[in-house]
Amino acid sequence: MIERDDDPDRTWCMSEVDIFRDLSEPEMDAIAAAAPMKTYAAGEILHSPQQPSEVLFILKRGRVRIFRVSADGRALTCAIISPGTIFGEMALLGQRMYDNFAEALDDVTVCVMSRAGVHRFLLSDARIAARITEILGRRLADLEQRLSDSVFKSVPQRIATTLTTLAARADTPAGKLRPGARHPQITLTHEQLAALAGTSRETCTKVLHDLADRGLLRLARGRITVLDPARLLDEAG
């Protein structure tokens, strides 16, 4: 992990984060000064139950996996956080990590804000506070849906549902088509997708190859291209 407190252009960390979208430059400067940038390499842990700290992470670049470890040692993915949003342990916001870990899936850049900074700069601004409430509410709804799917849907349906959700959401890398691309691309390994769908990597790979053989997907190393979103939605049940 590398701290970048002395970066002269700290406001770049805030400039594309949705909750700060209509702030003035002086407002952005003040928030940036209160939230130093840090970078983490892929695979590094940003937060763990063994080393708890009350900070709010504002994700600028890369993706972060939120997961917990079951009693039998399996890592269960709860969410994958995309750039432009927030996560962390912050009682003021009702945001808790509980026994979850946060791991960098890619090389990531975050801005880190303390409890005092959150109170002074985020909760005091009605615009930002409302957007934070919306983000946290949506994340809770996503988790509840995933729990419901794990009970009532088959494994192939869960995998199709996860792919459909990732491909459709505008706040994920998969939801934004690359220049010249005709189809949504999901940048996850089979193991990462399996963790999201609550199954094994071997089962996930088998289901993905079946969907690819039927023309719904195209598979490449670390990338899944959705060729037929309508049929994939049907598979999701």
Side-chain angles (χ1 to χ4, degrees):
M1 180 267 291
I2 300 173
E3 296 195 21
R4 300 180 60 182
D5 294 9
D6 58 347
D7 194 310
D9 189 23
R10 289 174 300 186
T11 55
W12 78 274
C13 190
M14 306 294 175
S15 61
E16 296 177 13
V17 177
D18 184 59
I19 61 174
F20 304 128
R21 60 179 176 263
D22 54 5
L23 299 191
S24 67
E25 189 170 337
E27 288 173 320
M28 297 275 277
D29 287 339
I31 293 175
M37 283 193 300
K38 295 182 180 180
T39 60
Y40 294 81
E44 279 196 84
I45 298 296
L46 288 73
H47 174 93
S48 73
Q50 290 75 28
Q51 296 180 313
S53 57
E54 190 173 20
V55 296
L56 187 71
F57 294 100
I58 303 166
L59 183 59
K60 169 61 183 179
R61 181 174 63 91
R63 296 169 301 162
V64 170
R65 177 172 75 122
I66 308 298
F67 70 96
R68 66 182 57 185
V69 178
S70 67
D72 60 2
R74 290 183 301 134
L76 307 173
T77 298
C78 302
I80 291 180
I81 308 298
S82 298
T85 190
I86 59 174
F87 64 98
E89 180 78 18
M90 187 56 60
L92 280 173
L93 302 175
Q95 169 72 6
R96 303 297 300 274
M97 291 293 286
Y98 300 102
D99 291 329
N100 291 338
F101 294 78
E103 175 195 23
L105 278 181
D106 317 298
D107 292 343
V108 307
T109 300
V110 293
C111 294
V112 185
M113 185 170 282
S114 68
R115 178 186 178 94
V118 167
H119 190 274
R120 179 180 177 187
F121 294 104
L122 305 190
L123 294 182
S124 63
D125 189 311
R127 297 167 298 175
I128 298 174
R131 290 166 192 163
I132 289 173
T133 299
E134 180 184 356
I135 287 171
L136 298 182
R138 187 166 65 235
R139 193 170 300 156
L140 179 60
D142 288 347
L143 179 57
E144 289 174 346
Q145 183 62 56
R146 188 171 295 121
L147 291 172
S148 175
D149 288 347
S150 69
V151 174
F152 297 109
K153 290 191 174 184
S154 67
V155 170
Q157 285 177 321
R158 294 204 304 268
I159 291 172
T161 297
T162 302
L163 290 172
T164 298
T165 301
L166 291 172
R169 282 179 53 178
D171 62 343
T172 67
K176 300 173 183 177
L177 289 179
R178 297 178 181 179
R182 296 175 52 211
H183 305 287
Q185 292 184 341
I186 298 164
T187 311
L188 289 176
T189 66
H190 292 192
E191 185 171 3
Q192 290 165 348
L193 179 61
L196 273 177
T199 187
S200 68
R201 182 188 60 78
E202 293 78 10
T203 300
C204 182
T205 296
K206 181 179 178 181
V207 172
L208 289 175
H209 280 292
D210 176 64
L211 293 172
D213 290 343
R214 292 159 54 199
L216 280 71
L217 307 175
R218 182 168 61 243
L219 306 179
R221 186 176 180 84
R223 188 172 66 251
I224 302 165
T225 303
V226 178
L227 301 177
D228 196 330
R231 287 174 62 200
L232 186 64
L233 184 59
D234 287 341
E235 294 291 324

